[in-house]
Amino acid sequence: MKTLSRFALALFTVASLCSVTGAEESAVPVTGNEVSYTIDGKEFEGFVARPATRDLKPRPGVLLIHDWTGLQDYARKRARQLAGLGYIAFAADIYGKGIRPEDPQACAIQAGVYKDDRALFRARLNAALAQLKAVPGVDPQRIAAIGYCFGGTGVLELARSGAQIAGVVSFHGGLDSPNPEDGKNIRCKVVILHGADDPFVPAADIAAFADELNSAGVDWQMISYSGVVHSFTKPAAGNDTSTGAAYNAGADRRSWVHMKVFFDELFRDAE
């Protein structure tokens, strides 16, 4: 496994933030608004969050891919948190306007469409990336993507598509490797933030994923949180780890700090 340059040193420098505000911190006031866009004649509705300042200098942009529930309040909240860190965030809509499943069965059906059709998934992801790059004030040379669960799988597919971005962060995403040869298309750095006890990500998937990235010479890092299961960043998952999906405040806080350290490195290098 390759390590990210200066990652460990930078993590040590900001580690004290973990015990303070974690994922809730917001350094600056933010604004947010819905954004409609179309792909092949189909309507989508994303969400843009940005710092509420008059500063016109270009800012790094972060593409956010929602979990299997679609673009709902959780994704908007995370986009606002990213804006609070000084980034311009675009929470994409992969499913389409108005498609917001409300129960696990409906979520599984919607997510399954894209997991079974990676070409369609990548097309939607790249269209969303184009929307982010078109947002006024975004620096196209400083772009990253993050995703949760379904979205964590999504940002890996975005990377495998050969997207020109600096890095991706997958929070409790799927780590299967359906087309290992696609690893050679990855041009960015990759960070995986994973619950060590996630029952939905088998060890065989992790091994195949590692082989894919190592064979392609990708610069990647995987951080596993002990005793943590799937959906560890989402309070709505509850606290019953026996279900395989549960919120973990410590892993939520630490994973957010890991993301911030990674972004500090990425965007400093791109300046």
Side-chain angles (χ1 to χ4, degrees):
M1 182 184 300
K2 295 190 174 182
T3 57
L4 298 165
S5 60
R6 300 191 298 277
F7 190 91
L9 177 61
L11 178 59
F12 177 80
T13 303
V14 303
S16 61
L17 294 175
C18 291
S19 62
V20 183
T21 53
E24 296 302 322
E25 77 174 69
S26 179
V28 297
V30 304
T31 62
N33 61 278
E34 306 291 333
V35 175
S36 294
Y37 61 106
T38 59
I39 306 173
D40 297 329
K42 182 178 176 66
E43 190 171 2
F44 296 78
E45 189 170 64
F47 179 79
V48 172
R50 62 190 308 143
T53 68
R54 296 179 180 274
D55 185 357
L56 299 180
K57 70 178 182 180
R59 292 180 177 272
V62 181
L63 178 65
L64 188 152
I65 308 302
H66 56 72
D67 63 17
W68 73 346
T69 64
L71 179 55
Q72 302 204 46
D73 287 345
Y74 178 77
R76 295 185 185 93
K77 174 185 175 182
R78 291 296 185 179
R80 289 181 178 276
Q81 288 173 342
L82 288 165
L85 297 176
Y87 307 129
I88 297 176
F90 178 63
D93 175 11
I94 300 300
Y95 294 161
K97 185 175 181 179
I99 302 176
R100 306 291 184 259
E102 296 183 357
D103 61 73
Q105 183 177 8
C107 289
I109 291 172
Q110 282 298 322
V113 170
Y114 302 93
K115 290 182 179 180
D116 292 341
D117 189 343
R118 301 297 173 113
L120 175 61
F121 203 178
R122 293 180 186 183
R124 296 280 172 89
L125 292 161
N126 276 282
L129 178 60
Q131 289 296 315
L132 170 62
K133 290 182 176 181
V135 174
V138 170
D139 181 350
Q141 301 304 313
R142 292 188 291 168
I143 299 286
I146 72 171
Y148 295 87
C149 301
F150 167 81
T153 302
V155 296
L156 297 177
E157 287 301 309
L158 179 65
R160 287 170 172 137
S161 76
Q164 293 279 9
I165 55 177
V168 300
V169 182
S170 173
F171 292 83
H172 42 83
L175 301 180
D176 59 331
S177 183
N179 298 295
E181 65 278 7
D182 288 350
K184 69 180 183 300
N185 299 326
I186 298 176
R187 303 176 183 180
C188 64
K189 298 179 181 181
V190 175
V191 168
I192 307 299
L193 304 174
H194 174 68
D197 290 349
D198 188 335
F200 304 115
V201 181
D205 281 3
I206 296 174
F209 178 77
D211 286 345
E212 176 186 344
L213 270 60
N214 286 335
S215 295
V218 175
D219 187 340
W220 70 286
Q221 177 98 9
M222 181 170 176
I223 300 167
S224 298
Y225 306 105
S226 64
V228 174
V229 295
H230 195 65
S231 296
F232 60 80
T233 67
K234 193 168 185 179
N239 58 14
D240 184 359
T241 58
S242 70
T243 66
Y247 179 66
N248 184 288
D252 181 16
R253 184 175 62 249
R254 293 171 182 173
S255 61
W256 191 254
V257 172
H258 283 131
M259 178 205 73
K260 291 193 297 179
V261 173
F262 180 50
F263 283 177
D264 286 346
E265 176 182 305
L266 285 184
F267 299 139
R268 181 181 60 244
D269 287 351
E271 289 177 350

